[in-house]
Amino acid sequence: DAMVIQNPRYQVTQFGKPVTLSCSQTLNHNVMYWYQQKSSQAPKLLFHYYDKDFNNEADTPDNFQSRRPNTSFCFLDIRSPGLGDTAMYLCATSEGSEAFFGQGTRLTVV
Amino acid sequence: DQQVKQNSPSLSVQEGRISILNCDYTNSMFDYFLWYKKYPAEGPTFLISISSIKDKNEDGRFTVFLNKSAKHLSLHIVPSQPGDSAVYFCAASEASGGSYIPTFGRGTSLIVHP
């Protein structure tokens, strides 16, 4: 019973080629988050939605954009990926204090 | 500027013994604390949490202790089992606009030897 589903699980993209990561949820939670986790580092919050209200972290690069067309889906768009964007990208949802995570998308920029 | 710190990147424990994972935080506004467990190639899964109004929360083999004055929390696993081998993330959050946004530590990799 997958509750937060991320696609694809693995993505390789070329330097500078736009890429979109997707996340869907069956929990009907009003909050959705995107985190970036680089090797041996803490997951870093990029942005989150509270319903349709978008909240961008101050240090999230402009290269990263997000869309939430409805409650169930959220997308992460990287307009011009750089080598430093190679990381695990984690989507999560919450209704209260506990966040539920997807399995992540491992993005490699070559 | 890490607000949540897990200073031990790894911990090795014998099966049946106690595992103690530590976490420190700097933001006094945090009022809810969580531990997540992560296996390779999977997303983090929620393990146990504690509100700032408590100093202990127990769930089976897992107990979380909170020392607010020291801004320190710890996760105790007793007895440890080989299946507990995973990366454990400490997270802390404060209410923001109706939602709690977790801030994570770097994680501690626990290895439980048979």
Side-chain angles (χ1 to χ4, degrees), chain A residues 33-47:
Chain A
Y33 316 78
W34 280 103
Y35 285 86
Q36 177 195 62
Q37 186 187 14
K38 296 185 178 180
S39 180
S40 301
Q41 296 186 21
K44 178 181 176 300
L45 182 67
L46 295 173
F47 21 61

Side-chain angles (χ1 to χ4, degrees), chain A residues 9-10 31 33 35 37 40-43 45 48 50 57 88 90 94-104, chain B residues 2 4 32 34 36 38 41-46 49 89 93 96-107:
Chain A
R9 291 289 307 278
Y10 302 92
V31 185
Y33 316 78
Y35 285 86
Q37 186 187 14
S40 301
Q41 296 186 21
L45 182 67
H48 76 279
Y50 187 87
E57 292 300 294
M88 173 74 84
L90 296 165
S94 71
E95 190 70 26
S97 52
E98 178 189 332
F100 294 82
F101 284 83
Q103 291 185 296
Chain B
Q2 279 188 282
V4 178
Y32 202 78
L34 310 97
Y36 283 83
K38 184 181 182 303
E42 294 185 13
T45 55
F46 171 75
S49 63
F89 289 97
S93 61
S96 172
S99 57
Y100 284 83
I101 311 298
T103 299
F104 285 86
R106 292 183 176 215

Side-chain angles (χ1 to χ4, degrees), chain A residues 37 43 90 98-103, chain B residues 6 19 21 34-49 61-62 75 77 79-91 104-105 107-112:
Chain A
Q37 186 187 14
L90 296 165
E98 178 189 332
F100 294 82
F101 284 83
Q103 291 185 296
Chain B
Q6 293 177 258
S19 296
L21 297 98
L34 310 97
W35 284 94
Y36 283 83
K37 180 178 178 179
K38 184 181 182 303
Y39 292 116
E42 294 185 13
T45 55
F46 171 75
L47 187 60
I48 192 170
S49 63
R61 296 185 297 114
F62 303 91
L75 174 67
I77 306 173
S80 302
Q81 299 173 355
D84 296 330
S85 297
V87 177
Y88 289 78
F89 289 97
C90 172
F104 285 86
T108 296
S109 177
L110 173 67
I111 300 171
V112 180

